[in-house]
Amino acid sequence: MTEIAQTADGRLPLAFLTDRTDRGANAPVLHAMAVSLAPTERVDFQDPAACLRALRRLGATAVTTFLPRLAPLAAGLHSRLADGVASGPDQPQGPWPVEGPWRASGPGGRAAGHPTPTDRPDNVERATGQPAGYSADPPADLMSVEMLRNSGARWGSRLAFVTDRPCPVGPGRESGLLAPSSRCPDLTDRASAAAAQAVSRRPASGGAFRATARLTADGPELLDVTGTLGPLVARAARFGAGEDLTWLALACAARLPDVPLPEQLTWRRCVAALLLPPPPGAHTVVSAPSRRHLLRLRNVLTVDQLSCAGDRVADWAGAPGGSVATVWLAADDHQTLRRRFVDTAALLNEAFAFADVSGAPVRDGRWLRSLTSADPSHGHADRGPTSRHVSSAEPNRAR
Protein backbone atom coordinates (compact mmCIF):
# COMPACT_ATOMS: atom_id res chain seq x y z
CA MET A 1 0.00 0.00 0.00
CA THR A 2 2.78 2.41 0.90
CA GLU A 3 4.64 1.63 -2.33
CA ILE A 4 1.50 2.21 -4.39
CA ALA A 5 0.85 5.55 -2.67
CA GLN A 6 4.46 6.68 -3.12
CA THR A 7 4.36 5.67 -6.78
CA ALA A 8 1.11 7.50 -7.49
CA ASP A 9 1.96 10.61 -5.46
CA GLY A 10 1.72 13.74 -7.60
CA ARG A 11 1.02 11.77 -10.77
CA LEU A 12 -2.31 10.05 -10.21
CA PRO A 13 -5.16 10.62 -7.71
CA LEU A 14 -5.53 7.58 -5.48
CA ALA A 15 -8.17 6.13 -3.16
CA PHE A 16 -8.39 2.84 -1.26
CA LEU A 17 -11.15 0.40 -0.41
CA THR A 18 -10.61 -1.86 2.61
CA ASP A 19 -12.66 -4.91 3.57
CA ARG A 20 -14.78 -4.49 6.68
CA THR A 21 -15.24 -8.28 6.89
CA ASP A 22 -11.51 -8.96 7.13
CA ARG A 23 -10.96 -10.59 10.51
CA GLY A 24 -7.19 -10.88 10.17
CA ALA A 25 -4.99 -9.60 12.98
CA ASN A 26 -3.48 -6.97 10.69
CA ALA A 27 -6.78 -5.67 9.29
CA PRO A 28 -7.10 -2.65 11.66
CA VAL A 29 -3.49 -1.66 11.01
CA LEU A 30 -3.90 -1.95 7.24
CA HIS A 31 -7.05 0.17 7.34
CA ALA A 32 -5.31 2.83 9.43
CA MET A 33 -2.41 2.85 6.96
CA ALA A 34 -4.80 3.29 4.04
CA VAL A 35 -6.54 6.21 5.76
CA SER A 36 -3.19 7.89 6.38
CA LEU A 37 -2.16 7.51 2.73
CA ALA A 38 -5.27 8.38 0.70
CA PRO A 39 -9.05 8.82 0.88
CA THR A 40 -10.39 5.47 2.08
CA GLU A 41 -13.76 3.77 2.52
CA ARG A 42 -14.39 0.55 4.41
CA VAL A 43 -16.87 -1.74 2.69
CA ASP A 44 -17.91 -5.37 2.47
CA PHE A 45 -15.94 -6.97 -0.37
CA GLN A 46 -18.66 -9.61 -0.68
CA ASP A 47 -21.10 -6.84 -1.68
CA PRO A 48 -19.93 -5.51 -5.08
CA ALA A 49 -22.87 -3.08 -5.29
CA ALA A 50 -21.74 -1.43 -2.03
CA CYS A 51 -18.16 -1.35 -3.33
CA LEU A 52 -19.34 0.36 -6.51
CA ARG A 53 -21.27 3.01 -4.56
CA ALA A 54 -18.19 3.67 -2.42
CA LEU A 55 -16.02 4.07 -5.50
CA ARG A 56 -18.44 6.61 -6.95
CA ARG A 57 -18.43 8.57 -3.69
CA LEU A 58 -14.63 8.63 -3.89
CA GLY A 59 -14.81 9.87 -7.47
CA ALA A 60 -12.96 6.84 -8.85
CA THR A 61 -12.95 6.23 -12.59
CA ALA A 62 -10.86 3.03 -12.62
CA VAL A 63 -10.16 0.09 -10.31
CA THR A 64 -7.14 -2.17 -10.01
CA THR A 65 -5.58 -4.52 -7.47
CA PHE A 66 -2.22 -6.18 -6.95
CA LEU A 67 -3.74 -9.16 -5.11
CA PRO A 68 -4.77 -12.12 -7.32
CA ARG A 69 -7.58 -13.15 -4.95
CA LEU A 70 -9.23 -9.74 -5.45
CA ALA A 71 -8.77 -9.67 -9.24
CA PRO A 72 -12.33 -10.91 -10.05
CA LEU A 73 -13.88 -8.23 -7.85
CA ALA A 74 -11.64 -5.47 -9.22
CA ALA A 75 -12.32 -6.52 -12.82
CA GLY A 76 -16.08 -6.49 -12.28
CA LEU A 77 -16.02 -3.09 -10.57
CA HIS A 78 -13.69 -1.63 -13.20
CA SER A 79 -15.94 -2.67 -16.07
CA ARG A 80 -19.03 -1.29 -14.34
CA LEU A 81 -17.35 2.05 -13.67
CA ALA A 82 -16.27 2.23 -17.31
CA ASP A 83 -19.79 1.35 -18.51
CA GLY A 84 -21.45 3.82 -16.16
CA VAL A 85 -23.44 1.11 -14.37
CA ALA A 86 -24.96 2.48 -11.19
CA SER A 87 -24.95 -0.82 -9.29
CA GLY A 88 -23.76 -4.35 -9.78
CA PRO A 89 -25.08 -7.86 -9.21
CA ASP A 90 -24.38 -9.76 -6.03
CA GLN A 91 -21.25 -11.24 -7.55
CA PRO A 92 -19.40 -9.99 -10.65
CA GLN A 93 -19.07 -12.86 -13.08
CA GLY A 94 -17.67 -13.36 -16.53
CA PRO A 95 -14.69 -14.96 -18.18
CA TRP A 96 -12.08 -12.93 -16.26
CA PRO A 97 -10.11 -14.07 -14.49
CA VAL A 98 -10.07 -17.72 -15.45
CA GLU A 99 -8.30 -20.04 -13.07
CA GLY A 100 -8.03 -23.79 -13.12
CA PRO A 101 -9.39 -25.75 -10.16
CA TRP A 102 -5.88 -26.41 -8.85
CA ARG A 103 -5.38 -22.71 -8.05
CA ALA A 104 -7.12 -20.47 -5.56
CA SER A 105 -9.60 -18.09 -7.14
CA GLY A 106 -12.49 -15.82 -6.32
CA PRO A 107 -12.73 -12.62 -4.27
CA GLY A 108 -13.02 -14.67 -1.08
CA GLY A 109 -9.69 -16.38 -1.74
CA ARG A 110 -11.12 -19.84 -1.16
CA ALA A 111 -8.68 -22.72 -1.04
CA ALA A 112 -7.62 -24.32 -4.26
CA GLY A 113 -9.41 -27.52 -5.15
CA HIS A 114 -12.78 -26.09 -4.10
CA PRO A 115 -14.73 -25.03 -7.20
CA THR A 116 -15.62 -21.36 -7.47
CA PRO A 117 -17.76 -19.57 -10.08
CA THR A 118 -14.67 -18.62 -12.08
CA ASP A 119 -13.74 -22.29 -12.45
CA ARG A 120 -16.68 -23.06 -14.74
CA PRO A 121 -15.57 -24.99 -17.85
CA ASP A 122 -17.35 -22.56 -20.18
CA ASN A 123 -15.32 -19.68 -18.71
CA VAL A 124 -12.08 -21.58 -19.23
CA GLU A 125 -12.91 -22.38 -22.84
CA ARG A 126 -14.22 -18.92 -23.67
CA ALA A 127 -11.22 -17.02 -22.31
CA THR A 128 -8.39 -19.36 -23.23
CA GLY A 129 -9.75 -21.21 -26.25
CA GLN A 130 -8.61 -24.45 -24.60
CA PRO A 131 -10.72 -27.22 -23.09
CA ALA A 132 -11.26 -27.34 -19.34
CA GLY A 133 -10.73 -30.33 -17.09
CA TYR A 134 -7.29 -29.73 -15.63
CA SER A 135 -5.99 -32.04 -12.96
CA ALA A 136 -6.40 -31.02 -9.33
CA ASP A 137 -2.71 -31.84 -8.84
CA PRO A 138 -0.48 -28.77 -9.16
CA PRO A 139 1.67 -28.79 -12.31
CA ALA A 140 5.37 -28.93 -11.53
CA ASP A 141 6.76 -27.06 -14.54
CA LEU A 142 5.16 -23.62 -14.77
CA MET A 143 5.81 -20.39 -16.60
CA SER A 144 3.95 -17.12 -16.38
CA VAL A 145 3.38 -14.37 -18.93
CA GLU A 146 3.21 -10.95 -17.27
CA MET A 147 1.43 -8.43 -19.50
CA LEU A 148 0.60 -4.73 -19.35
CA ARG A 149 -1.79 -3.13 -21.83
CA ASN A 150 -2.59 0.59 -21.95
CA SER A 151 -5.65 1.01 -24.13
CA GLY A 152 -5.41 4.79 -23.76
CA ALA A 153 -1.87 5.18 -25.09
CA ARG A 154 -1.31 6.15 -28.71
CA TRP A 155 1.98 4.24 -28.94
CA GLY A 156 3.86 1.63 -26.94
CA SER A 157 0.60 0.16 -25.68
CA ARG A 158 1.71 -3.35 -24.67
CA LEU A 159 4.54 -4.93 -22.71
CA ALA A 160 4.92 -8.64 -22.02
CA PHE A 161 7.64 -10.79 -20.48
CA VAL A 162 7.88 -14.31 -19.11
CA THR A 163 8.89 -15.55 -15.68
CA ASP A 164 9.47 -19.09 -14.44
CA ARG A 165 7.51 -20.53 -11.54
CA PRO A 166 9.14 -23.17 -9.31
CA CYS A 167 7.25 -26.21 -8.06
CA PRO A 168 4.19 -25.21 -6.01
CA VAL A 169 3.81 -26.53 -2.48
CA GLY A 170 0.61 -28.45 -3.06
CA PRO A 171 -2.46 -27.01 -4.80
CA GLY A 172 -2.64 -23.24 -4.64
CA ARG A 173 0.62 -22.71 -2.75
CA GLU A 174 3.06 -20.82 -4.93
CA SER A 175 6.72 -20.95 -3.93
CA GLY A 176 8.00 -17.89 -5.78
CA LEU A 177 9.22 -16.82 -9.21
CA LEU A 178 12.43 -16.56 -11.22
CA ALA A 179 12.94 -13.72 -13.69
CA PRO A 180 13.54 -13.46 -16.53
CA SER A 181 12.45 -16.83 -17.89
CA SER A 182 15.22 -19.23 -18.83
CA ARG A 183 12.98 -20.97 -21.37
CA CYS A 184 14.04 -21.05 -24.99
CA PRO A 185 12.61 -18.27 -27.21
CA ASP A 186 10.24 -20.65 -29.01
CA LEU A 187 8.47 -21.53 -25.76
CA THR A 188 8.24 -17.95 -24.50
CA ASP A 189 6.96 -16.81 -27.91
CA ARG A 190 4.23 -19.44 -27.91
CA ALA A 191 3.20 -18.74 -24.31
CA SER A 192 3.10 -14.98 -24.97
CA ALA A 193 1.02 -15.45 -28.12
CA ALA A 194 -1.50 -17.62 -26.25
CA ALA A 195 -1.70 -15.06 -23.44
CA ALA A 196 -2.20 -12.17 -25.88
CA GLN A 197 -5.00 -14.06 -27.60
CA ALA A 198 -6.72 -14.76 -24.27
CA VAL A 199 -6.42 -11.13 -23.15
CA SER A 200 -7.74 -9.85 -26.47
CA ARG A 201 -10.99 -11.77 -25.85
CA ARG A 202 -11.81 -9.36 -23.06
CA PRO A 203 -13.81 -6.34 -24.32
CA ALA A 204 -11.86 -3.79 -22.24
CA SER A 205 -8.43 -5.35 -22.42
CA GLY A 206 -6.43 -2.61 -20.70
CA GLY A 207 -4.59 -3.06 -17.42
CA ALA A 208 -2.31 -5.70 -15.94
CA PHE A 209 -2.63 -9.43 -16.58
CA ARG A 210 -0.91 -12.66 -15.70
CA ALA A 211 -1.32 -15.84 -17.72
CA THR A 212 0.02 -19.05 -16.21
CA ALA A 213 1.02 -21.95 -18.44
CA ARG A 214 2.46 -25.37 -17.83
CA LEU A 215 5.06 -26.91 -20.06
CA THR A 216 3.86 -30.09 -21.79
CA ALA A 217 5.34 -32.31 -24.48
CA ASP A 218 3.39 -30.25 -27.03
CA GLY A 219 4.58 -26.92 -25.64
CA PRO A 220 3.02 -24.38 -23.26
CA GLU A 221 -0.57 -25.03 -22.23
CA LEU A 222 -2.44 -22.00 -20.86
CA LEU A 223 -4.00 -22.71 -17.47
CA ASP A 224 -5.41 -19.43 -16.25
CA VAL A 225 -5.56 -15.68 -16.83
CA THR A 226 -5.71 -13.28 -13.88
CA GLY A 227 -6.39 -9.55 -14.18
CA THR A 228 -3.59 -8.37 -11.93
CA LEU A 229 0.13 -7.74 -11.67
CA GLY A 230 1.41 -9.21 -8.44
CA PRO A 231 3.80 -7.35 -6.15
CA LEU A 232 6.44 -10.05 -6.69
CA VAL A 233 6.46 -9.30 -10.41
CA ALA A 234 6.79 -5.56 -9.82
CA ARG A 235 9.71 -6.04 -7.43
CA ALA A 236 11.39 -8.53 -9.76
CA ALA A 237 11.31 -5.97 -12.57
CA ARG A 238 12.72 -3.31 -10.26
CA PHE A 239 15.52 -5.53 -8.91
CA GLY A 240 16.43 -7.14 -12.22
CA ALA A 241 15.64 -4.54 -14.89
CA GLY A 242 15.32 -1.23 -13.05
CA GLU A 243 11.75 -0.72 -14.29
CA ASP A 244 8.85 0.66 -12.21
CA LEU A 245 5.99 -1.66 -13.14
CA THR A 246 3.88 -0.45 -10.22
CA TRP A 247 3.54 2.95 -11.89
CA LEU A 248 2.98 1.43 -15.31
CA ALA A 249 0.24 -0.87 -13.94
CA LEU A 250 -1.53 2.09 -12.34
CA ALA A 251 -1.21 4.11 -15.55
CA CYS A 252 -2.63 1.23 -17.62
CA ALA A 253 -5.59 0.83 -15.27
CA ALA A 254 -6.28 4.58 -15.52
CA ARG A 255 -5.75 4.54 -19.31
CA LEU A 256 -3.37 7.51 -19.15
CA PRO A 257 -2.68 8.54 -22.78
CA ASP A 258 0.74 10.08 -22.11
CA VAL A 259 2.32 7.01 -20.44
CA PRO A 260 3.70 4.72 -23.18
CA LEU A 261 4.98 1.30 -22.21
CA PRO A 262 8.58 0.32 -22.96
CA GLU A 263 8.98 -2.01 -25.92
CA GLN A 264 10.86 -4.50 -23.78
CA LEU A 265 12.63 -5.06 -20.48
CA THR A 266 16.41 -5.33 -20.45
CA TRP A 267 17.41 -7.59 -17.57
CA ARG A 268 20.73 -6.66 -15.97
CA ARG A 269 20.70 -9.71 -13.70
CA CYS A 270 18.56 -12.72 -12.84
CA VAL A 271 16.42 -12.42 -9.71
CA ALA A 272 14.21 -14.79 -7.74
CA ALA A 273 11.62 -14.51 -5.00
CA LEU A 274 11.56 -17.54 -2.71
CA LEU A 275 8.32 -18.06 -0.78
CA LEU A 276 8.39 -20.71 1.94
CA PRO A 277 4.90 -21.91 2.93
CA PRO A 278 4.53 -23.91 6.13
CA PRO A 279 3.93 -27.66 5.83
CA PRO A 280 0.36 -28.99 5.85
CA GLY A 281 -0.98 -29.26 9.38
CA ALA A 282 1.34 -26.60 10.79
CA HIS A 283 -0.27 -24.24 13.31
CA THR A 284 2.61 -22.38 14.98
CA VAL A 285 6.21 -21.44 14.18
CA VAL A 286 8.45 -23.06 16.82
CA SER A 287 11.79 -21.69 15.61
CA ALA A 288 12.91 -19.46 12.73
CA PRO A 289 16.14 -18.01 11.30
CA SER A 290 17.03 -14.41 12.01
CA ARG A 291 16.68 -11.71 9.38
CA ARG A 292 20.25 -10.62 10.05
CA HIS A 293 21.55 -14.13 9.30
CA LEU A 294 19.66 -14.33 6.03
CA LEU A 295 20.82 -10.89 4.88
CA ARG A 296 24.41 -11.97 5.41
CA LEU A 297 24.04 -14.77 2.88
CA ARG A 298 25.70 -14.19 -0.46
CA ASN A 299 23.44 -12.65 -3.10
CA VAL A 300 20.42 -12.24 -0.82
CA LEU A 301 19.02 -8.90 -1.94
CA THR A 302 16.46 -8.42 0.80
CA VAL A 303 14.04 -10.24 3.08
CA ASP A 304 10.51 -8.94 2.56
CA GLN A 305 8.82 -11.01 5.22
CA LEU A 306 9.96 -13.41 7.94
CA SER A 307 7.88 -15.13 10.61
CA CYS A 308 9.18 -15.45 14.16
CA ALA A 309 8.92 -18.15 16.81
CA GLY A 310 5.43 -18.15 18.26
CA ASP A 311 3.71 -16.80 15.15
CA ARG A 312 0.63 -18.60 13.91
CA VAL A 313 0.63 -19.69 10.30
CA ALA A 314 -2.07 -19.58 7.64
CA ASP A 315 -4.60 -22.39 7.70
CA TRP A 316 -4.02 -24.71 4.76
CA ALA A 317 -7.71 -25.57 4.58
CA GLY A 318 -8.92 -21.98 4.73
CA ALA A 319 -6.78 -19.79 2.51
CA PRO A 320 -4.04 -19.99 -0.09
CA GLY A 321 -0.65 -18.36 0.31
CA GLY A 322 0.57 -17.83 3.83
CA SER A 323 4.32 -18.14 3.34
CA VAL A 324 6.49 -17.78 6.43
CA ALA A 325 9.39 -16.19 4.54
CA THR A 326 9.90 -14.14 1.38
CA VAL A 327 13.55 -13.92 0.37
CA TRP A 328 14.93 -12.22 -2.76
CA LEU A 329 18.01 -13.66 -4.50
CA ALA A 330 20.16 -12.54 -7.42
CA ALA A 331 22.72 -14.08 -9.78
CA ASP A 332 24.48 -13.35 -13.05
CA ASP A 333 22.92 -16.30 -14.89
CA HIS A 334 19.94 -18.64 -14.72
CA GLN A 335 21.84 -21.75 -13.68
CA THR A 336 23.47 -20.04 -10.70
CA LEU A 337 20.16 -18.49 -9.67
CA ARG A 338 18.37 -21.85 -9.67
CA ARG A 339 21.14 -23.40 -7.61
CA ARG A 340 20.93 -20.58 -5.07
CA PHE A 341 17.15 -20.89 -5.01
CA VAL A 342 17.36 -24.58 -4.09
CA ASP A 343 20.17 -24.03 -1.56
CA THR A 344 18.28 -21.22 0.17
CA ALA A 345 15.07 -23.27 0.22
CA ALA A 346 16.97 -26.11 1.89
CA LEU A 347 18.45 -23.72 4.45
CA LEU A 348 15.03 -22.26 5.29
CA ASN A 349 13.44 -25.68 5.45
CA GLU A 350 16.06 -26.72 8.01
CA ALA A 351 15.96 -23.49 10.02
CA PHE A 352 12.20 -23.37 10.45
CA ALA A 353 10.38 -25.71 12.82
CA PHE A 354 6.60 -26.01 13.16
CA ALA A 355 4.05 -27.54 15.50
CA ASP A 356 0.46 -28.60 14.92
CA VAL A 357 -2.49 -27.42 16.99
CA SER A 358 -1.67 -29.95 19.73
CA GLY A 359 1.99 -28.88 19.87
CA ALA A 360 3.39 -31.94 18.10
CA PRO A 361 6.25 -31.29 15.61
CA VAL A 362 5.29 -31.01 11.95
CA ARG A 363 7.73 -31.44 9.08
CA ASP A 364 7.23 -32.23 5.39
CA GLY A 365 10.09 -32.37 2.91
CA ARG A 366 8.11 -33.38 -0.18
CA TRP A 367 8.21 -29.93 -1.77
CA LEU A 368 11.96 -29.62 -1.29
CA ARG A 369 12.48 -33.07 -2.82
CA SER A 370 10.32 -32.06 -5.80
CA LEU A 371 12.32 -28.88 -6.19
CA THR A 372 15.70 -30.60 -6.12
CA SER A 373 14.59 -33.40 -8.44
CA ALA A 374 13.25 -31.03 -11.11
CA ASP A 375 15.31 -31.03 -14.29
CA PRO A 376 16.44 -27.40 -14.79
CA SER A 377 17.41 -28.07 -18.41
CA HIS A 378 13.91 -29.14 -19.55
CA GLY A 379 12.79 -26.57 -22.06
CA HIS A 380 15.44 -24.08 -20.98
CA ALA A 381 17.93 -22.15 -23.02
CA ASP A 382 21.52 -21.49 -21.96
CA ARG A 383 21.51 -17.72 -21.84
CA GLY A 384 22.27 -14.91 -19.44
CA PRO A 385 20.30 -12.19 -17.70
CA THR A 386 20.42 -9.85 -20.70
CA SER A 387 17.69 -11.93 -22.37
CA ARG A 388 14.92 -9.59 -23.48
CA HIS A 389 11.24 -10.42 -23.33
CA VAL A 390 9.01 -8.31 -25.51
CA SER A 391 5.41 -7.89 -26.53
CA SER A 392 3.83 -11.09 -27.78
CA ALA A 393 3.32 -9.31 -31.10
CA GLU A 394 7.08 -9.25 -31.59
CA PRO A 395 9.67 -12.03 -31.63
CA ASN A 396 11.74 -12.51 -28.47
CA ARG A 397 15.30 -11.31 -28.76
CA ALA A 398 18.20 -12.99 -27.00
CA ARG A 399 21.53 -11.22 -26.81
Side-chain angles (χ1 to χ4, degrees):
M1 225 183 326
T2 303
E3 182 178 343
I4 291 170
Q6 290 174 340
T7 300
D9 186 33
R11 296 191 282 182
L12 192 68
L14 182 70
F16 288 117
L17 292 185
T18 62
D19 188 4
R20 71 166 71 241
T21 65
D22 186 354
R23 300 291 181 251
N26 292 329
V29 176
L30 293 175
H31 177 73
M33 287 177 58
V35 170
S36 70
L37 293 169
T40 301
E41 289 219 18
R42 199 174 188 186
V43 294
D44 182 354
F45 280 9
Q46 300 300 318
D47 185 352
C51 293
L52 193 61
R53 290 192 294 269
L55 290 168
R56 294 196 180 283
R57 288 193 297 270
L58 290 167
T61 58
V63 183
T64 191
T65 181
F66 288 82
L67 298 177
R69 68 183 179 86
L70 295 178
L73 177 63
L77 295 172
H78 183 87
S79 63
R80 284 165 177 78
L81 276 180
D83 295 339
V85 178
S87 62
D90 292 339
Q91 183 66 50
Q93 293 299 333
W96 284 120
V98 175
E99 305 202 29
W102 60 271
R103 289 174 65 90
S105 62
R110 288 192 284 176
H114 296 272
T116 66
T118 54
D119 293 329
R120 295 198 309 263
D122 59 320
N123 282 346
V124 176
E125 293 182 7
R126 183 164 61 249
T128 67
Q130 296 182 357
Y134 303 122
S135 169
D137 296 327
D141 206 351
L142 299 175
M143 56 198 301
S144 183
V145 182
E146 320 294 345
M147 184 179 298
L148 293 172
R149 292 173 63 104
N150 188 350
S151 57
R154 292 184 295 272
W155 66 93
S157 61
R158 183 168 62 188
L159 169 71
F161 60 96
V162 182
T163 62
D164 294 337
R165 301 282 168 162
C167 300
V169 191
R173 295 268 170 164
E174 293 190 56
S175 59
L177 65 79
L178 298 95
S181 175
S182 62
R183 312 289 184 182
C184 64
D186 176 65
L187 292 177
T188 56
D189 283 346
R190 293 168 64 183
S192 294
Q197 182 180 12
V199 169
S200 67
R201 293 172 181 266
R202 187 186 186 202
S205 55
F209 306 93
R210 173 192 298 172
T212 305
R214 64 179 171 187
L215 188 60
T216 70
D218 298 325
E221 178 187 18
L222 207 62
L223 294 178
D224 65 51
V225 179
T226 305
T228 185
L229 181 76
L232 291 181
V233 177
R235 285 178 72 76
R238 179 178 291 109
F239 289 149
E243 189 67 62
D244 187 357
L245 291 193
T246 301
W247 164 243
L248 294 178
L250 293 174
C252 287
R255 300 187 182 93
L256 297 184
D258 56 345
V259 182
L261 298 175
E263 292 186 3
Q264 58 192 18
L265 295 185
T266 300
W267 295 88
R268 304 184 181 98
R269 58 182 173 181
C270 300
V271 295
L274 169 58
L275 309 181
L276 185 75
H283 179 267
T284 307
V285 178
V286 175
S287 62
S290 70
R291 185 180 296 267
R292 177 178 299 180
H293 173 68
L294 292 177
L295 289 174
R296 286 177 177 173
L297 296 177
R298 183 182 179 187
N299 291 108
V300 168
L301 295 176
T302 189
V303 178
D304 277 357
Q305 172 250 341
L306 187 67
S307 296
C308 302
D311 288 350
R312 290 189 56 179
V313 300
D315 181 9
W316 266 77
S323 62
V324 295
T326 304
V327 180
W328 283 93
L329 309 168
D332 291 332
D333 58 77
H334 297 291
Q335 185 176 5
T336 303
L337 184 70
R338 286 180 174 273
R339 184 171 63 250
R340 287 174 180 162
F341 189 96
V342 173
D343 290 346
T344 307
L347 183 150
L348 291 173
N349 189 66
E350 185 66 27
F352 273 99
F354 303 93
D356 62 18
V357 67
S358 65
V362 177
R363 183 171 288 275
D364 188 340
R366 286 176 293 178
W367 168 69
L368 187 60
R369 289 193 295 271
S370 298
L371 192 67
T372 55
S373 64
D375 180 8
S377 65
H378 179 49
H380 294 261
D382 183 14
R383 60 189 188 187
T386 55
S387 302
R388 302 178 180 221
H389 298 273
V390 301
S391 164
S392 56
E394 303 173 11
N396 284 20
R397 304 184 184 98
R399 296 186 179 180

